[in-house]
């Protein structure tokens, strides 16, 4: 794998391209990116995409696979050589069972 | 009684911890993290068991279970990285890897492994990583989809190539 981090310009291009795109029922409402070391200590690109809330428990897998493939394809097109990881978060952050507000009713 | 590690059982555990079908709200954060880990191990064991079957097609399950201990996470990941890219595989493997990459189903399998391995690492070690129910269930679905695609592709030449590469690049840790 390559050691060189992608340039800010390329990262900006990738983020601008993915922001606002719709894949089936999932729309990318916000796109953030950063370079960091992955589990293998390789320099990698991490995209954090905020998606529109799913209609059910999660987004349809085919929509998300389309998104992941499209990001990978665009990265190839932009000449990126580092691993790319796409993290998804829903637009609404519902409380989790052990959040203080849930446990103590605040 | 001998009870092997069954990927489908790990996926069921992941679903339970991830709160599948539990209605509104989100599970405990620790449960979401463990769900991601279980989903990753489901895919790891599925791939390794299939590669072991590729090596020992006519042998009893116990022989395959023993040889599966020789595979390593890193070697499976290396093959998946070569399939997914974006970098090029080593020249001597390029033709084989590009042939696998041409199968969209197996590309999805390799991409799932890459995604889940990193997610498992974050689930276990990264305090700053954000795990939510929708994203966790989607990672589990990605594993389930990858396992279905492996089954669908198992008679294909691309599948044979992928299993051969995983078997060839695994060595005792």
């Amino acid at each position: 794998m390559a050691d060189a981090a992608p340039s800010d310009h390329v990262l900006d291009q990738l983020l601008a391209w993915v922001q606002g795109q719709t894949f089936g029922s999932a729309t990318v409402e916000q796109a953030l990116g950063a370079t960091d070391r992955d589990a293998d200590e390789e320099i990698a690109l991490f995209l954090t995409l905020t998606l529109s809330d799913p209609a059910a428990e999660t987004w349809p897998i085919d929509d998300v696979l389309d998104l992941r493939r499209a990001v990978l394809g665009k990265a190839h097109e932009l000449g990126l050589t580092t691993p790319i990881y796409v993290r998804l978060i829903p637009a609404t952050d519902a409380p989790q069972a052990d959040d203080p507000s849930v446990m103590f009713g605040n | 009684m001998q009870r092997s590690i069954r990927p489908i059982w790990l996926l069921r555990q992941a679903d339970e911890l991830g709160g599948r079908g539990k209605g509104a709200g989100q599970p405990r954060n620790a449960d979401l993290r463990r769900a991601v880990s279980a989903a990753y191990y489901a895919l790891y064991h599925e791939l390794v068991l299939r590669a072991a079957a590729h090596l020992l097609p006519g042998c009893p399950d116990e022989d395959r279970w023993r040889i599966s201990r020789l595979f390593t996470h890193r070697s499976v990941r290396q093959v998946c990285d070569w399939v997914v890219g974006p970098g090029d595989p080593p020249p001597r493997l390029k033709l084989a890897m590009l042939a696998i990459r041409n199968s969209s189903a197996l590309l999805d399998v390799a991409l799932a492994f890459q995604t889940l391995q990193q997610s498992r690492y974050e689930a276990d070690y990264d305090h700053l990583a954000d795990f939510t129910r929708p994203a966790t269930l989607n990672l589990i679905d990605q594993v389930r989809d990858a396992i279905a695609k492996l089954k669908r592709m198992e008679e294909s030449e691309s599948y044979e190539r992928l299993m051969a590469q995983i078997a060839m690049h695994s060595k005792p840790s």
Side-chain angles (χ1 to χ4, degrees):
Chain A
M1 287 292 172
D3 283 334
S7 71
D8 288 346
H9 177 64
V10 171
L11 176 55
D12 288 345
Q13 277 184 290
L14 186 59
L15 294 174
W17 171 81
V18 76
Q19 173 103 32
Q21 290 241 31
T22 295
F23 301 88
S25 62
T27 297
V28 180
E29 296 188 352
Q30 187 183 37
L32 300 173
T35 53
D36 202 349
R37 299 273 175 182
D38 67 9
D40 286 332
E41 290 296 311
E42 299 276 358
I43 292 176
L45 180 58
F46 293 84
L47 297 189
T48 302
L49 306 182
T50 302
L51 299 185
S52 51
D53 286 329
E57 290 180 317
T58 184
W59 306 275
I61 185 61
D62 287 338
D63 297 349
V64 171
L65 288 176
D66 283 346
L67 183 161
R68 291 187 184 280
R69 288 188 212 111
V71 168
L72 198 62
K74 188 66 180 177
H76 279 275
E77 190 184 310
L78 292 171
L80 286 170
T81 56
T82 53
I84 298 164
Y85 301 101
V86 176
R87 298 159 166 161
L88 305 177
I89 53 176
T92 303
D93 185 20
Q96 297 189 359
D98 46 9
D99 285 350
S101 59
V102 174
M103 290 182 72
F104 305 113
N106 297 326
Chain B
M1 183 180 173
Q2 185 67 57
R3 296 180 180 87
S4 65
I5 301 166
R6 294 186 59 183
I8 195 169
W9 292 351
L10 290 168
L11 275 178
R12 185 173 61 196
Q13 180 192 41
D15 277 338
E16 289 170 0
L17 292 171
R20 174 114 40 206
K22 296 272 178 64
Q26 298 198 75
R28 297 179 189 283
N29 191 263
D31 287 348
L32 291 171
R33 288 174 182 266
R34 300 312 306 155
V36 170
S37 184
Y40 165 70
Y41 280 103
L43 184 55
Y44 173 75
H45 285 296
E46 180 76 21
L47 280 167
V48 166
L49 287 170
R50 284 177 173 277
H54 178 82
L55 285 172
L56 302 172
C59 292
D61 284 343
E62 279 198 12
D63 288 0
R64 296 176 185 176
W65 296 338
R66 282 198 185 89
I67 203 173
S68 72
R69 293 294 307 279
L70 302 179
F71 289 79
T72 65
H73 294 261
R74 192 176 185 87
S75 59
V76 177
R77 171 61 190 269
Q78 178 65 82
V79 173
C80 290
D81 283 349
W82 285 332
V83 173
V84 172
D88 275 343
R92 67 195 161 84
L93 298 175
K94 194 166 183 177
L95 283 179
M97 290 301 164
L98 293 183
I100 299 168
R101 198 182 282 181
N102 280 336
S103 160
S104 61
L106 295 182
L107 179 61
D108 283 346
V109 171
L111 184 56
F113 191 84
Q114 197 184 60
T115 303
L116 265 292
Q117 191 182 72
Q118 178 63 27
S119 298
R120 185 212 70 90
Y121 175 80
E122 292 170 9
D124 285 343
Y125 299 109
D126 189 350
H127 293 274
L128 298 175
D130 190 11
F131 286 90
T132 63
R133 183 167 78 152
T136 298
L137 293 179
N138 207 270
L139 288 170
I140 299 167
D141 287 344
Q142 197 177 356
V143 171
R144 192 168 271 117
D145 175 81
I147 290 174
K149 283 172 176 162
L150 281 168
K151 186 168 179 53
R152 203 176 74 215
M153 295 296 292
E154 62 192 3
E155 302 297 328
S156 70
E157 287 181 12
S158 300
Y159 175 88
E160 293 287 314
R161 288 191 184 101
L162 178 62
M163 292 303 120
Q165 293 296 335
I166 291 173
M168 281 171 55
H169 292 283
S170 287
K171 40 188 174 287
S173 52

